[in-house]
Amino acid sequence: MSDDTAHAIHESQTLCIERVHEAPAIETAWTVAAYETPVSDRMWVLTATGSTPAPVLQDLLTHLADGYGWDTAIGAPVDEKKVTTVTRPLSDAGWKHTVDGRWLRRTSPDEDACVQFDAFTAQHPNQNLATGTVWAGPGPDRPTWVITASPHTPRWLPTDLCESLAHESGTRQAQPGREHKTRLAASSPAAPAVTAGRPGSRSR
């Protein structure tokens, strides 16, 4: 194991959190992976870039530490109905819904954050491809931070994230010449404590 990388392994050996300490802001710094058994392939994987706001990551890690649903049986992959359910908090907060070919999107009123689902990769659930993507920042080509999730990621993870985004969307204020002073638009490196269980030696 590299000195630049830390791992937390749940005592069941079926959940692993990897943290790359010196990852660049827009590259993957956090990887959460769940397994059906200690020797099986991944059921699902979620990643977050180095600049993902600490409160967002802390909420995620807290739920994982509580064992809130990550160890349930593999469910069906996402589809349009599930996307609608998961993103309902964003719809209620006035986020714009668009369908562009394979992409289903919810974009914030200020267009500085987006939740996007890829209907094509959802049809390939046996591959841990990024089916769901959340980004915030100036635009999709220049995001401040990004979170991705594979098809079988438990529904509560993107649902909780959408709720956080919806709550923050009403407080983001664009000021000419100034960066947004909110937690979801934050670009500072995030490093909440890893509390998913006692450490182990497994990595993937």
Side-chain angles (χ1 to χ4, degrees):
M1 183 184 300
S2 170
D3 291 339
D4 295 332
T5 304
H7 292 84
I9 314 294
H10 190 266
E11 60 186 6
S12 67
Q13 298 287 301
T14 57
L15 182 75
C16 175
I17 300 176
E18 179 183 271
R19 161 70 163 150
V20 180
H21 295 292
E22 302 300 326
I26 202 56
E27 292 187 11
T28 298
W30 294 86
T31 300
V32 181
Y35 307 82
E36 190 170 13
T37 72
V39 296
S40 67
D41 293 332
R42 287 175 174 174
M43 292 194 300
W44 56 266
V45 60
L46 179 145
T47 69
T49 56
S51 55
T52 303
V56 174
L57 290 169
Q58 193 65 64
D59 287 346
L60 167 66
L61 294 173
T62 297
H63 284 306
L64 290 171
D66 292 339
Y68 182 45
W70 61 262
D71 56 349
T72 57
I74 298 176
V78 295
D79 55 25
E80 187 168 359
K81 182 178 180 180
K82 291 180 181 177
V83 169
T84 299
T85 300
V86 166
T87 61
R88 182 165 289 121
L90 300 178
S91 176
D92 294 343
W95 287 45
K96 181 181 178 181
H97 173 65
T98 58
V99 178
D100 180 12
R102 62 193 275 184
W103 309 105
L104 307 175
R105 297 187 178 100
R106 288 280 185 189
T107 307
S108 68
D110 294 333
E111 298 186 352
D112 59 357
C114 179
V115 176
Q116 174 178 281
F117 291 87
D118 185 342
F120 177 78
T121 59
Q123 301 306 311
H124 300 79
N126 294 327
Q127 303 176 30
N128 284 309
L129 303 171
T131 298
T133 302
V134 180
W135 62 262
D141 298 328
R142 294 184 298 128
T144 302
W145 58 269
V146 179
I147 292 176
T148 69
S150 65
H152 289 297
T153 301
R155 189 187 302 183
W156 65 264
L157 279 168
T159 299
D160 284 359
L161 182 55
C162 285
E163 289 177 351
S164 295
L165 288 167
H167 294 155
E168 290 298 320
S169 66
T171 63
R172 279 199 299 265
Q173 297 181 357
Q175 299 180 21
R178 299 181 62 183
E179 294 182 356
H180 294 172
K181 301 295 185 180
T182 64
R183 76 176 196 177
L184 291 177
S187 59
S188 58
V194 175
T195 57
R198 60 183 174 83
S201 59
R202 176 179 184 165
S203 64
R204 288 193 180 227

